[in-house]
Amino acid sequence: MQRLYDSVEPRVMDEDMLKLAVGEQGPQEEAGQLARQEGILFKDVLSLRLDFQNILRIDSLWQFENLRKLQLDNNIIEKIEGLEHLVHLVWLDLSFNNIEAIEGLDTLVNLEDLSLFNNRISKIDSLDALVKLQVLSLGNNQIGNMMNIIYLRRFKDLRTLSLSGNPITESEDYKMFIYAYLPDLVYLDFRRIDDHMKDLAGSKHQYGIDELKHREHLIQARLDDERARQEELKKHKVAFVEHLNGSFLFDSMYAEDVDGNKLASLPGVGELLQAYKDKFVIICLNIFEYGLKQQEKRKLELDTFNECIQEAIQENQEQGKRRIAKFEEKHLLSLNAIREESDLTNIEIKIVEYGEDITELFNVLMTLEMQLVEQLEETINMFERNITDLVALFIENVQSLMAQCRDLENHHHEKLLEISINTLERIVKGELDEDLPDDVRALFVDKDTIVNAVGASHDIHLLKIDNREDELVTRTNSWCTHLVDTIHKDEIMRNRRRVKEINQYIDHMQNELDNLECSDVID
């Protein structure tokens, strides 16, 4: 049964509704008055109740970025939407609405408890992102196909399920089917599942479960393989040599080469093409292996650099902490001495001495920071030279190998052109014994036509090689430039933060002294 539009006008969530709800549900009495005066920030709200509001459409919730619990039951909502920013949501109640499809939950990866009781839902799907789901309430809907239960097997943490009031429950095998296919379920339709019944259900559906597990295993194996391939591809991309560990580049040269594919059927070209491909792929594999080795060298260089930077910063900070600790130890003694001194002249002398101590500490800390800046600048410059040299060597050697690919293409082009012209001469003389497809024979009307066809094929191949080389060089240089720029910017920001910290600390010490001086003058 679904809720109907009543005499109250359907509403859409807006700022006023949300402010009113937050105000009513927020802290009360003195704390509540203070919160209302200062204004409650939506981002600080952890729980929100919007039930019985005649809400038609979910909206304006993007500011509740830290919301954990949301209650939207007993409205007239027709579509699940507007929840994409509520990524920390753990509990969601959308029961007693007019929802027909499960959707709009893809970002709610932390959701554990979902209630869609009493809606119009006929299919259980689109919950894949809810990997932490423990409680699912779908009672009083229109779910009639038992295969919906199979979908729920993917939720490994699901322990409580409610489906009462759906057509599915009318099946004679309803409970036994669920017991068998959802073995980790603890509660079904508000009743604890008996372990003995689980065993009976498992035996009854043993064959079907074994078949399903086999299919799930195959699917999971394919997913694992695909995931592994994607991880490998990421590593190859980081090394700038993706798709060079095989015939991908060679195959791409012929993917759009209509004339080249036609000419492959000429007598003698098949063997020529295979020899070309074998040599071409070997060069690509050399680029690939070399690229992975160079990536390891770059990574080692970067890791070593980061270790040096962190060691230098940590050592410098330790020196600073020791100086500050020494100062603060003396600081307490100085303050006590000033407070206990009764002679005004002596007080003034001690205040001046303490001020000099603060100035000395400032100079020491700033000197340490300047020394660190110089040390880090030298280290960064050395790293920049090293990484630039590594990148330059990598590019130089890759370009040399790519040149070998072009040489192979040029050699193949010459041989293909020679075979093509010889074939034309044999056709003209009527000496060609082999039958050629009509689309291939159409190229041999005259010498210009066949030369143009061979040349067009050659141009396509060279362009593919050039483009792959340009892409590799551009991406490698961009990576190097971005890395070095980021390191320089990070060091500038680190220095600014450190100088700010020193100034804030010294200002605090100086303010303490100034306040002490003022109080003594007043006394």
Side-chain angles (χ1 to χ4, degrees), residues 113-117 135-139 141 160-163 190:
D113 192 317
L114 173 63
S115 179
L116 289 162
F117 185 84
V135 179
L136 178 61
S137 176
L138 282 165
N141 276 281
T160 301
L161 176 64
S162 171
L163 288 168
F190 314 107

Side-chain angles (χ1 to χ4, degrees), residues 509-521:
M509 293 293 105
Q510 189 62 51
N511 285 336
E512 270 198 335
L513 179 61
D514 293 344
N515 292 334
L516 185 64
E517 190 173 358
C518 289
S519 64
D520 288 331
V521 170

Side-chain angles (χ1 to χ4, degrees), residues 100-116:
E100 296 185 357
I102 301 174
E103 58 188 334
L105 303 173
D106 294 341
T107 61
L108 308 189
V109 295
N110 290 298
L111 199 64
E112 296 177 3
D113 192 317
L114 173 63
S115 179
L116 289 162

